[in-house]
Amino acid sequence: MENATRENIMWREALRIGVDNIDEQHEGLFKKALELLDAVNSTGEERKQKCISIILFLKDYAIRHFADEEAYQESIGYKDFALHKKIHDEFKKDIGVQEKLLVESDFADKVVKEFTGMLIAWLLYHVSDADQRIVKETEEPEILHDYTDIVCESICNMWAICNILDSKNVKRVEIDFEPHDEDFVVWADLDGGASGHINIVYPPDFVKYLVTSATGFEPENIGELELSLLITVSNFIFQTISELISKDKSISCFAHPATISSKYAIDSHERIVLDTGKGVVGVGITLE
């Protein structure tokens, strides 16, 4: 990935929620994510010290920012306060886990890149979706019933939320699709009242486009950072799928963490193809 500049290119005015101190803090978090991108491109002791500084900042900033955000939610009687606080608490735990991994690896290249990809994807999704819900009324999801529709809606909506693609530009197409060796297959199992697996096949050009849309920087190749970002976005997709299934079918359904896999549509009940205009993405679905 090209060197990050100090310009806060990941920040968009559309991300503002209209609460000045919270918006300023969000903008500061995006700036710190860019600094972490910059740290990835440094080496040795310089990178280690930059990462330590950023981790310490994130731990302190998360505590202060989440406290301010939660206080505002309570002041307006936000109906989903408990759920939002749970997301904050889980993130703080994740930062602690990531800090331990970074320290134990002595800030190894792979671990630093994986942490950076995760952080950027989480921040982009959380501020673009969960934080917007604090001040904006959200429509109840359409009752879909069909698993294929739920999967397609979840994928397209997540791309739109993360400013990757306008869902209106994504079309389901009827073509024969087989993955290429260079494609990236992200796989997740679902359990509970609905069980099975879903895999999404991303061609390399689309992965690069996804990363560029999220960060503003075009990667020269696809490495640990890019794959970490891809997996994190995909985890949000699978989580949304499980939540919609639970709501639509009135059952309990949960998604296991996503992994990069060589498996594609093994024993899948259905395969669908999405033409994104930036590449063709294949999806294999087996759900019961």
Side-chain angles (χ1 to χ4, degrees), residues 49-87:
Q49 292 306 318
K50 283 183 178 179
C51 288
I52 290 172
S53 173
I54 291 167
I55 288 287
L56 290 174
F57 171 88
L58 286 171
K59 287 174 64 179
D60 178 61
Y61 206 75
I63 291 171
R64 290 187 290 111
H65 169 63
F66 289 164
D68 288 348
E69 200 173 87
E70 290 163 12
Y72 176 74
Q73 291 176 45
E74 287 187 302
S75 74
I76 63 172
Y78 179 49
K79 62 182 179 65
D80 289 328
F81 168 76
L83 175 60
H84 202 107
K85 186 177 186 307
K86 180 181 177 183
I87 294 171

Side-chain angles (χ1 to χ4, degrees), residues 5-156:
T5 69
R6 295 302 178 188
E7 183 185 0
N8 205 352
I9 63 174
M10 283 195 291
W11 175 255
R12 310 189 310 275
E13 289 300 305
L15 296 177
R16 294 188 180 278
I17 68 172
V19 182
D20 289 343
N21 69 316
I22 292 175
D23 287 332
E24 289 171 4
Q25 290 171 358
H26 283 159
E27 192 169 359
L29 284 167
F30 274 90
K31 182 178 180 181
K32 214 58 164 178
L34 276 173
E35 289 183 21
L36 191 56
L37 271 175
D38 185 46
V40 165
N41 292 302
S42 58
T43 57
E45 189 63 24
E46 180 186 3
R47 178 173 64 183
K48 180 177 178 178
Q49 292 306 318
K50 283 183 178 179
C51 288
I52 290 172
S53 173
I54 291 167
I55 288 287
L56 290 174
F57 171 88
L58 286 171
K59 287 174 64 179
D60 178 61
Y61 206 75
I63 291 171
R64 290 187 290 111
H65 169 63
F66 289 164
D68 288 348
E69 200 173 87
E70 290 163 12
Y72 176 74
Q73 291 176 45
E74 287 187 302
S75 74
I76 63 172
Y78 179 49
K79 62 182 179 65
D80 289 328
F81 168 76
L83 175 60
H84 202 107
K85 186 177 186 307
K86 180 181 177 183
I87 294 171
H88 285 172
D89 291 342
E90 289 175 350
F91 180 75
K92 286 186 283 189
K93 289 180 183 177
D94 287 342
I95 288 292
V97 171
Q98 291 296 324
E99 179 186 25
K100 186 172 184 290
L101 291 172
L102 286 163
V103 171
E104 289 180 348
S105 72
D106 198 27
F107 296 86
D109 185 68
K110 180 177 184 293
V111 181
V112 171
K113 288 179 177 178
E114 288 177 345
F115 170 64
T116 303
M118 179 280 293
L119 175 67
I120 291 171
W122 187 92
L123 184 60
L124 182 65
Y125 171 62
H126 186 71
V127 178
S128 298
D129 185 56
D131 285 343
Q132 298 301 314
R133 295 172 185 266
I134 300 171
V135 294
K136 297 177 182 177
E137 288 293 327
T138 55
E139 297 180 2
E140 286 293 314
E142 179 185 355
I143 302 300
L144 297 168
H145 299 305
D146 183 81
Y147 284 143
T148 303
D149 289 339
I150 289 174
V151 170
C152 287
E153 285 289 317
S154 298
I155 292 172
C156 293

Side-chain angles (χ1 to χ4, degrees), residues 252-264:
S252 175
C253 178
F254 63 93
H256 293 273
T259 58
I260 296 287
S261 171
S262 60
K263 298 184 290 184
Y264 173 68

Side-chain angles (χ1 to χ4, degrees), residues 96-238:
V97 171
Q98 291 296 324
E99 179 186 25
K100 186 172 184 290
L101 291 172
L102 286 163
V103 171
E104 289 180 348
S105 72
D106 198 27
F107 296 86
D109 185 68
K110 180 177 184 293
V111 181
V112 171
K113 288 179 177 178
E114 288 177 345
F115 170 64
T116 303
M118 179 280 293
L119 175 67
I120 291 171
W122 187 92
L123 184 60
L124 182 65
Y125 171 62
H126 186 71
V127 178
S128 298
D129 185 56
D131 285 343
Q132 298 301 314
R133 295 172 185 266
I134 300 171
V135 294
K136 297 177 182 177
E137 288 293 327
T138 55
E139 297 180 2
E140 286 293 314
E142 179 185 355
I143 302 300
L144 297 168
H145 299 305
D146 183 81
Y147 284 143
T148 303
D149 289 339
I150 289 174
V151 170
C152 287
E153 285 289 317
S154 298
I155 292 172
C156 293
N157 287 343
M158 190 58 60
W159 288 343
I161 286 168
C162 293
N163 197 40
I164 295 164
L165 278 172
D166 186 334
S167 57
K168 296 177 183 177
N169 297 329
V170 182
K171 299 177 182 178
R172 285 175 62 177
V173 293
E174 299 296 329
I175 61 173
D176 292 330
F177 177 82
E178 290 294 335
H180 299 96
D181 290 341
E182 66 270 21
D183 289 345
F184 297 93
V185 183
V186 182
W187 179 283
D189 290 318
L190 270 62
D191 273 327
S195 61
H197 55 253
I198 300 170
N199 48 64
I200 308 175
V201 183
Y202 298 93
D205 285 347
F206 184 78
V207 176
K208 289 182 178 180
Y209 172 78
L210 184 154
V211 173
T212 302
S213 299
T215 67
F217 296 103
E218 183 177 357
E220 296 177 1
N221 49 54
I222 300 172
E224 289 92 349
L225 188 156
E226 290 76 19
L227 291 180
S228 177
L229 194 154
L230 176 68
I231 289 174
T232 304
V233 170
S234 299
N235 269 324
F236 292 137
I237 290 173
F238 295 131

